[in-house]
Amino acid sequence: EPEVTQTPSHQVTQMGQEVILRCVPISNHLYFYWYRQILGQKVEFLVSFYNNEISEKSEIFDDQFSVERPDGSNFTLKIRSTKLEDSAMYFCASSRQGAMGQPQHFGDGTRLSIL
Amino acid sequence: AQKVTQAQTEISVVEKEDVTLDCVYETRDTTYYLFWYKQPPSGELVFLIRRNSFDEQNEISGRYSWNFQKSTSSFNFTITASQVVDSAVYFCALINSGGSNYKLTFGKGTLLTVNP
C-alpha cells in the first residue's frame, strides 16, 4: 500500500541553525500538509499546500517556517533559525483531494531535537 | 472555532476486555467529518475510521465500532476483545468546512494500555 515517507527519522540541530524536513507524499495525492506534535501533547496543524502554494497556515506557522515542493515528488518544511521550542515530532500528510471526507495519510514523522 | 475533547487521558485494561474511548467535539458547522487515528509506540499516525455529519449510523468493522451521536456531539470508539497490540495513543479528530482548507483538529489523545 502506498505510503507517505519522511526523512530523516530523527534530526538533531543546534539552536539557531536552519533545518529542512523532507517528505514524499503518496504519488497521486494533490494536497499536502505539515503537522507538529510537541512531546506528550496533541497534534497541531501547521500548513496545507495545494497547486504549489500555501492554502492555509496556522498561527504557529510564522515567518520562521516555509514549505516548498521543489520537484514532482518531494514536499519540504524549512525552519530558519531554530529555537528550543521547535523541538517536536513533525508529521507530513497527504490526501488525494481537499474534500473533507478524504482521509489524510500521515508519514512516520521526523523527530526534531533542538539543542 | 472547532474543538475536540478527549477527557480520558489514560486507560488501562486487561487483554480481551472491551474498551471505549470517548470523544466530544464542538463545531458551528453542519457539515463535518470525524476521524480516529492511532499512534502506536513507534510514533506513526495511522488512520482508522471516519464518519460524516450526515450519517449517524453506527458501524462495526472487525473489532472496532463507533458510536456517533450528534445530539450529544460525541463520537466514541470501542475496541472489542482488546489485544496487547492495541496499546497506543488514540486521537479523535475533526474536519469542518468553516472557511478552512480542511485542516484536522485533534484532541489531546487517550493512551490505551492493554496488559496481558
Side-chain angles (χ1 to χ4, degrees):
Chain A
E1 184 173 327
E3 57 183 28
V4 176
T5 57
Q6 290 185 242
T7 55
S9 57
H10 190 191
Q11 174 80 46
V12 182
T13 302
Q14 291 288 331
M15 186 172 61
Q17 296 295 307
E18 175 181 286
V19 65
I20 298 176
L21 310 181
R22 303 181 191 280
C23 169
V24 178
I26 295 173
S27 62
N28 63 347
H29 285 189
L30 301 176
Y31 291 78
F32 315 116
Y33 313 83
W34 283 100
Y35 289 80
R36 179 180 82 175
Q37 184 184 29
I38 295 172
L39 185 64
Q41 298 187 25
K42 66 179 178 180
V43 180
E44 300 174 291
F45 170 81
L46 291 177
V47 65
S48 60
F49 191 87
Y50 169 70
N51 200 26
N52 283 320
E53 59 183 29
I54 290 173
S55 45
E56 185 176 6
K57 59 184 181 180
S58 72
E59 61 275 8
I60 302 170
F61 195 89
D62 59 22
D63 292 343
Q64 177 195 13
F65 295 89
S66 62
V67 289
E68 190 179 32
R69 188 155 164 83
D71 52 44
S73 59
N74 289 284
F75 178 52
T76 62
L77 174 69
K78 181 190 291 185
I79 310 175
R80 289 182 282 273
S81 189
T82 49
K83 297 175 273 194
L84 292 175
E85 53 265 37
D86 294 328
S87 294
M89 180 77 93
Y90 288 81
F91 289 102
C92 173
S94 69
S95 62
R96 190 166 30 170
Q97 299 172 18
M100 282 186 290
Q102 293 291 320
Q104 294 177 22
H105 294 271
F106 286 77
D108 289 351
T110 293
R111 181 167 299 284
L112 177 63
S113 300
I114 306 300
L115 304 179
Chain B
Q2 57 272 17
K3 183 180 178 182
V4 175
T5 301
Q6 295 179 253
Q8 303 153 309
T9 307
E10 294 186 39
I11 299 176
S12 182
V13 300
V14 177
E15 204 169 19
K16 296 184 184 177
E17 285 185 17
D18 298 348
V19 57
T20 295
L21 309 179
D22 298 335
C23 173
V24 174
Y25 62 91
E26 295 175 30
T27 177
R28 293 179 184 158
D29 288 343
T30 56
T31 303
Y32 51 89
Y33 273 78
L34 295 160
F35 299 79
W36 278 96
Y37 281 83
K38 173 182 179 180
Q39 187 176 41
S42 47
E44 70 270 26
L45 278 169
V46 180
F47 163 72
L48 294 177
I49 56 173
R50 72 173 182 264
R51 209 86 192 120
N52 74 58
S53 54
F54 297 106
D55 185 358
E56 289 191 73
Q57 182 179 355
N58 297 311
E59 291 188 20
I60 298 173
S61 175
R63 294 187 300 110
Y64 297 159
S65 62
W66 47 98
N67 185 345
F68 175 35
Q69 293 192 352
K70 288 180 75 171
S71 60
T72 56
S73 297
S74 65
F75 184 51
N76 298 335
F77 176 61
T78 298
I79 303 174
T80 303
S82 59
Q83 302 173 1
V84 173
V85 294
D86 295 327
S87 297
V89 179
Y90 289 82
F91 290 97
C92 181
L94 165 73
I95 281 184
N96 61 0
S97 60
S100 158
N101 194 43
Y102 313 133
K103 67 179 184 184
L104 279 165
T105 297
F106 285 85
K108 291 186 177 180
T110 297
L111 172 62
L112 173 64
T113 303
V114 181
N115 298 298

